[in-house]
Amino acid sequence: MLDPHRIRTDFPILSREVNGKPLVYLDSTATTQKPTAVLEAMRKYYERSNANVHRGAYTLAQEATEAYEETRSKVARFIHAPSDSGVIFTRNTTEAINLVAQAWGRANLHAGDEIILTEMEHHSNLIPWQMVARERGAVLKFLHVMDDGTLDVGEVDTLLSDRTKLVGLVHVSNVLGTINPVKEIAKRAHAAGARILVDGAQSVPHMPVDVKDIDCDFFAFSGHKMLGPTGIGVLYGKPKILDAMPPFLGGGEMIREVQLDWSTYNDIPWKFEAGTPNIGGAIGLGAAIDYLDAVGMGEVRAHEERITAKALAALRDIEGLEVFGPEVRGGVVSFAMRGAHPHDIATILDQDGVEIRAGHHCAQPLMRRLNVVATARASFYIYNTESEIEVLVESLKKVKEVFARVS
Ligand code: C6P
């Protein structure tokens, strides 16, 4: 069984204090903390092998290229991609989805074509489709979120039509924690001749993911939400589809031959990696994958289930506190407290060293569906302990007292 107390010793930041109290970091959905192994891998690269990739014949350039490409193989293995060529490095999930919307969407969407999304999408899987749909005259349709915070899979069949070109949905909601049945939805999308894109920003860091088993066409996630650094993300795509797509950005490294008035393009994945990539970031991500591999993704999920079940039970016990989302979920708990604005909750918790996020979580349509303007949100990862849940609960009780006094 995963021991969070042992794991915590690998994370220097977790021994600091905030406002005179031990840090209780409960915002891993926004970004995770980094273990020493990741920090050291990046430091070693910059101290010993720093050079540009794919460009130099000298030793440092070869070392940098090998380390960068090694991470691509690690990513492919980690998500069970059939080959490295389907793994494209991006800045983050957002850029990965924009790549698909711009490169695949502009080439494949025509007036009247339909894209199916859900009401629970993060803005990064909504705005890129709004942009390309407006340009191409395509239509957006939405799967509703039911009162229990899940999707009705059967509704997909009512929305799919012979005009549907793409179904795009989040694997695990960053607000509700809902784990969506992406494999089942992929099957239905494919039966209707549509492509499927999965936003895996909150699944890959927290549970075993197998893109081959899901049979998704595109899958996006961010390194910084899985112990890696910011500025490195991944788009996985089926190689055949990526091959047929035009490039996203133009520039160095994505070309084969360049004339003054025309060019031919590199093979995938490099066709989609114009310019000098985030080499240090990729190396950090590789170290993060090694770390998660050593812990075991099944263990990661089991630990989060334990912590989340404890948090759910404890929060539901606080009178006047409403928890959003289903029972079976990722390690995310969004809630509202009667009479207290989520931002005030977060500010008061911060006085106790408890760091949670408050706001719309980049999911404004979902906030409207929940009939709130914002929620408070605690989220968990491998380094969170049961006693931290107790600190959260005690601190929330204080919030309640403060607002009982002022109201
Ligand atoms: N959600 C949160 O606090 P980027 O910013 O590109 O790394 O990730 C975007 C993104 C996409 N999809 C989902 C499901 C996400 O949760 C996020 C990031 C953070 O909820 C920051 S808004």
Side-chain angles (χ1 to χ4, degrees), residues 115-118 121 125 166-170 195-198:
I115 299 166
I116 300 175
L117 305 170
T118 83
E121 294 315 305
N125 196 27
L166 181 111
V167 177
L169 84 162
V170 69
R195 302 280 185 215
I196 178 159
L197 175 144
V198 177

Side-chain angles (χ1 to χ4, degrees), residues 222-288:
S222 298
H224 70 97
K225 294 183 193 293
M226 52 188 289
L227 310 180
T230 49
I232 186 83
V234 171
L235 172 69
Y236 157 77
K238 283 185 180 165
K240 239 176 145 169
I241 301 173
L242 293 175
D243 247 340
M245 279 160 54
F248 173 42
L249 301 173
E253 202 46 35
M254 50 75 72
I255 48 80
R256 185 174 305 289
E257 184 188 346
V258 177
Q259 298 288 341
L260 279 178
D261 52 358
W262 61 266
S263 309
T264 55
Y265 305 129
N266 204 340
D267 293 335
I268 59 165
W270 306 288
K271 178 170 82 174
F272 294 105
E273 293 181 4
T276 301
N278 185 353
I279 306 161
I283 289 166
L285 174 60

Side-chain angles (χ1 to χ4, degrees), residues 90-130:
T90 62
R91 279 191 302 145
N92 45 38
T93 306
T94 304
E95 189 176 82
I97 297 173
N98 275 275
L99 191 165
V100 180
Q102 291 298 313
W104 178 87
R106 291 171 93 188
N108 289 282
L109 293 170
H110 302 98
D113 283 345
E114 294 168 358
I115 299 166
I116 300 175
L117 305 170
T118 83
E119 280 181 331
M120 68 169 81
E121 294 315 305
H122 187 280
H123 295 164
S124 64
N125 196 27
L126 176 61
I127 320 297
W129 299 111
Q130 290 177 349

